[in-house]
Amino acid sequence: MERIGFVGLGLMGGYMAQNILGGGYPLTVVAHRNRGTVDALTARGASEADDAAALASQCDIVFVCVPTSEHVEMVVEGEKGLRAGAKAAGHKLIIVDCSTSEPTVTRRLAASLESDGITLVDAALGGTPTQAEAGQLQAIVGSDEETLARLRPVLETWAGKILHCGAVGAGHTMKLLNQFLAMSYGAVFSEALTIGAKAGISPQTFDSVIRGSRMDSGFYQTFFQYVLERDRDAHRFTLANAGKDIRYVAALADALDVKADVAHAVSDLYASALDQGEGEKFVPELSDIVAARHQLSLF
């Protein structure tokens, strides 16, 4: 049976690792700032490695679920990183990057790792923490067919749907396109609510027209669960992560020489919220931030 490693036991990664372990796979993790997750996994039979190099030396497949491409590169290329550990052990390793990363970085890193017999694939995540806990995430994959066939049984422990989008980098590209839509919805909803409030339209009236119409969606419903009910747990995705993702979208468009005015405008709105120190707030709270700039309260 494949020996699995996991780096990045955050809100999504902790549940994914839990489901891998529940699928019967030997699991090794590295220390995380949230010791509670590590302790819970080791109590259920997981092992803990001292660093990423030690992890790589003990595993056949390592999943990485960290905030940015910069973090991925640190985990892989650091002095005690995955590349160093795999080379020292002399075995071929598969690294699965489940982060929302820059596709250009993903492809460059994959090409570099190939020279050491290490395969990098991307399996970006679609879904919520609730779906992660239930093992029902989407795995948005960029990989060759042979590697995906080997990975599929492990992916199935935490993914309800595996979507093969093409070669390495395609998964991260498709995830960024998804995030472009999502973060744009958040920006549009926030500005629409503020315009409406200025014109005397309450969020409740707004919702009575949109809900159940062609403009309704799962994203809309969780966003408005916060707007109407002030339920912060309805849509747990921070503005810091949202700002990073839409910044990556704009950078990808620039790299492809696409004039992406909308992507840059959305990126600027999220960046302005981050500049105010609002990064730890969740995406629906952008509606309050935009309204407050016009001396309005939506609630």
Side-chain angles (χ1 to χ4, degrees):
M1 180 169 279
E2 305 278 15
R3 299 170 300 168
I4 311 300
F6 210 105
V7 180
L9 300 171
L11 191 59
M12 302 291 271
Y15 288 133
M16 293 162 65
Q18 176 180 293
N19 284 317
I20 291 169
L21 192 60
Y25 287 93
L27 179 69
T28 304
V29 300
V30 292
H32 187 266
R33 63 188 179 190
N34 181 2
R35 283 299 311 178
T37 302
V38 175
D39 293 342
L41 290 168
T42 55
R44 293 183 57 186
S47 301
E48 183 177 0
D50 291 335
D51 51 49
L55 182 83
S57 70
Q58 301 170 35
C59 297
D60 305 303
I61 300 167
V62 174
F63 289 88
V64 178
C65 190
V66 293
T68 68
S69 284
E70 291 82 1
H71 288 97
V72 173
E73 290 191 282
M74 289 171 58
V75 167
V76 173
E77 301 284 46
E79 183 180 351
K80 295 184 178 180
L82 296 176
R83 186 200 290 263
K87 287 177 68 176
H91 71 262
K92 295 184 177 181
L93 178 70
I94 299 175
I95 300 172
V96 185
D97 182 6
C98 297
S99 318
T100 302
S101 299
E102 291 189 81
T104 51
V105 174
T106 302
R107 288 191 289 269
R108 172 173 54 77
L109 196 55
S112 173
L113 289 168
E114 189 176 7
S115 64
D116 287 323
I118 301 169
T119 301
L120 174 70
V121 305
D122 40 321
L125 308 178
T128 65
T130 300
Q131 289 172 298
E133 185 175 13
Q136 291 298 313
L137 291 171
Q138 289 183 336
I140 306 169
V141 180
S143 171
D144 64 272
E145 294 280 1
E146 183 179 353
T147 303
L148 178 56
R150 180 176 167 185
L151 290 173
R152 188 175 290 274
V154 190
L155 295 176
E156 287 174 344
T157 65
W158 55 260
K161 186 178 291 185
I162 299 169
L163 305 166
H164 188 199
C165 297
V168 64
H172 282 154
T173 299
M174 189 60 233
K175 175 59 186 288
L176 288 184
L177 296 177
N178 179 85
Q179 295 303 84
F180 181 22
L181 297 178
M183 298 318 118
S184 297
Y185 286 154
V188 170
F189 294 159
S190 297
E191 292 193 352
L193 283 165
T194 294
I195 295 168
K198 273 280 190 179
I201 300 294
S202 70
Q204 290 76 13
T205 298
F206 185 98
D207 181 68
S208 71
V209 173
I210 302 302
R211 190 173 296 270
S213 75
R214 291 178 63 193
M215 298 309 299
D216 199 351
S217 67
F219 186 100
Y220 174 87
Q221 290 173 19
T222 55
F223 192 99
F224 270 76
Q225 191 169 329
Y226 169 75
V227 171
L228 299 176
E229 302 173 25
R230 316 313 282 178
D231 180 2
R232 291 190 77 243
D233 290 334
H235 195 115
R236 292 182 291 170
F237 192 68
T238 66
L239 288 170
N241 282 328
K244 180 266 295 185
D245 289 355
I246 192 62
R247 176 167 55 85
Y248 281 0
V249 172
L252 177 62
D254 291 344
L256 295 171
D257 197 26
V258 174
K259 190 174 185 295
D261 293 338
V262 173
H264 281 283
V266 174
S267 181
D268 288 346
L269 179 59
Y270 282 88
S272 70
L274 301 186
D275 288 343
Q276 290 181 215
E278 309 283 18
E280 293 309 305
K281 290 186 175 178
F282 294 144
V283 167
E285 293 176 275
L286 183 64
S287 60
D288 295 330
I289 294 167
V290 173
R293 292 175 181 173
H294 297 82
Q295 293 76 53
L296 294 170
S297 174
L298 299 176
F299 183 71

